[in-house]
């Protein structure tokens, strides 16, 4: 079981603001890092899966970076919109491929 | 594709009763995962299967919990006997590892279990 930390725990931003969150994980026995978006009363949905040090992924206004040597990943949201309000989970996997989810960052975008 | 299907969506039962949760993974996916979500522990992995074979059940809380996958399109998670502390949302997810796959897991809608 991996020790996964996400910060901040919660975040309130104004519509149009850009924001970012952090995911920290052990750098040993690393296989991949997953980011999920989880809206209230729905199921988690995959945003990104990254495996290589220095990887950057982008989907619309959301992007993520990965540093496997120091064990962290950043998720960025540019120009936040109310529909971005959700909990963002990161989950590293080791060689056994099962995910260990962090506790998430709960984002609220105020109109 | 309909996505991962779970049933029932809600289950209310009394302590001591047997509870069976069901999952149909996405067709063609060879991995199936059972998770439990609670306020205290967040989203935790209970057990996962590869090609219908259980690979790691170290997350199963105790012997009252059991899971089976008799074929590629169906899995069950059983709790017998159920206890109030088992109240949680149980998610099933599936994925495939192959060409074109990013290995992301696709989650079902979850089953909200309440044990009185």
């Amino acid at each position: 079981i991996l020790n996964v930390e996400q910060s901040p725990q919660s975040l309130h931003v104004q519509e149009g603001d850009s924001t970012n969150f952090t995911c920290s994980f052990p750098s040993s026995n690393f296989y991949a890092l997953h980011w999920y978006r989880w809206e209230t009363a729905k199921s988690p949905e995959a945003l990104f899966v990254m495996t290589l040090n220095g990887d950057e992924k982008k989907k619309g206004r959301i992007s993520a970076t990965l540093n496997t040597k120091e064990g962290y990943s950043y998720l960025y949201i540019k120009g936040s919109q109310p529909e971005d309000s959700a909990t963002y989970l990161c989950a590293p996997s080791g060689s056994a491929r099962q995910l260990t989810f962090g506790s998430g960052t709960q984002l609220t975008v105020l109109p | 594709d309909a996505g991962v299907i779970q049933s029932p969506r809600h289950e209310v039962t009394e302590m001591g009763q047997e509870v069976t949760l069901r999952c149909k993974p996405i067709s063609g996916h060879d991995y199936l995962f059972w998770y439990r979500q609670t306020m205290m522990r967040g989203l935790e992995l209970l057990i996962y299967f590869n090609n219908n074979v259980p690979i790691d059940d170290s997350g199963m809380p105790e012997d009252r919990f059991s899971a089976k996958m008799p074929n590629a399109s169906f899995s069950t998670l059983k709790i017998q006997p159920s206890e109030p502390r088992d109240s949680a949302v149980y998610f099933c997810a599936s994925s495939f590892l192959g060409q074109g796959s990013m290995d992301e897991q696709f989650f079902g809608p979850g089953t909200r279990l309440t044990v009185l």
Side-chain angles (χ1 to χ4, degrees):
Chain A
I1 296 180
L2 305 175
N3 184 24
V4 184
E5 295 185 2
Q6 290 191 247
S7 64
Q9 196 170 27
S10 66
L11 191 58
H12 288 72
V13 301
Q14 289 296 134
E15 182 176 353
D17 288 350
S18 294
T19 187
N20 65 86
F21 340 123
T22 305
C23 171
S24 300
F25 52 89
S27 54
S28 60
N29 194 31
F30 174 85
Y31 180 83
L33 190 284
H34 297 233
W35 279 101
Y36 284 80
R37 182 172 178 274
W38 195 356
E39 288 183 73
T40 303
K42 292 188 178 180
S43 309
E45 291 185 0
L47 283 173
F48 306 113
V49 180
M50 296 181 288
T51 56
L52 300 176
N53 185 46
D55 254 357
E56 286 191 39
K57 298 273 186 175
K58 187 175 181 182
K59 186 181 289 188
R61 295 179 289 98
I62 305 177
S63 60
T65 61
L66 177 65
N67 183 319
T68 61
K69 293 184 178 179
E70 296 182 39
Y72 65 84
S73 175
Y74 294 134
L75 188 81
Y76 301 91
I77 303 179
K78 184 177 178 182
S80 304
Q81 299 296 309
E83 57 264 31
D84 296 329
S85 297
T87 296
Y88 292 83
L89 299 170
C90 75
S93 64
S95 56
R97 294 189 61 244
Q98 62 257 44
L99 303 181
T100 300
F101 283 88
S103 54
T105 292
Q106 187 174 7
L107 173 68
T108 303
V109 181
L110 305 169
Chain B
D1 198 319
V4 176
I5 299 172
Q6 289 187 248
S7 65
R9 294 293 304 276
H10 302 272
E11 176 80 33
V12 180
T13 190
E14 293 189 345
M15 183 173 66
Q17 296 298 305
E18 177 180 296
V19 175
T20 299
L21 311 181
R22 296 172 177 80
C23 175
K24 177 177 170 26
I26 293 172
S27 177
H29 282 194
D30 54 357
Y31 283 84
L32 184 139
F33 305 81
W34 281 102
Y35 292 91
R36 178 171 68 175
Q37 187 227 347
T38 62
M39 288 293 291
M40 292 295 294
R41 299 172 67 91
L43 194 59
E44 54 179 343
L45 178 67
L46 300 177
I47 184 171
Y48 79 98
F49 296 82
N50 177 217
N51 291 323
N52 314 338
V53 176
I55 302 300
D56 188 340
D57 65 354
S58 59
M60 296 285 260
E62 46 195 278
D63 291 346
R64 298 184 296 107
F65 285 68
S66 62
K68 294 182 180 179
M69 192 165 186
N71 58 63
S73 59
F74 184 65
S75 176
T76 60
L77 178 68
K78 187 176 292 186
I79 308 172
Q80 165 64 13
S82 58
E83 296 182 4
R85 60 193 167 121
D86 301 330
S87 298
V89 181
Y90 291 81
F91 287 99
C92 175
S94 69
S95 69
F96 80 97
L97 184 63
Q99 190 172 10
S101 163
M102 289 303 295
D103 199 24
E104 64 265 50
Q105 295 182 16
F106 294 82
F107 282 74
T111 294
R112 181 175 294 276
L113 173 65
T114 303
V115 183
L116 304 174

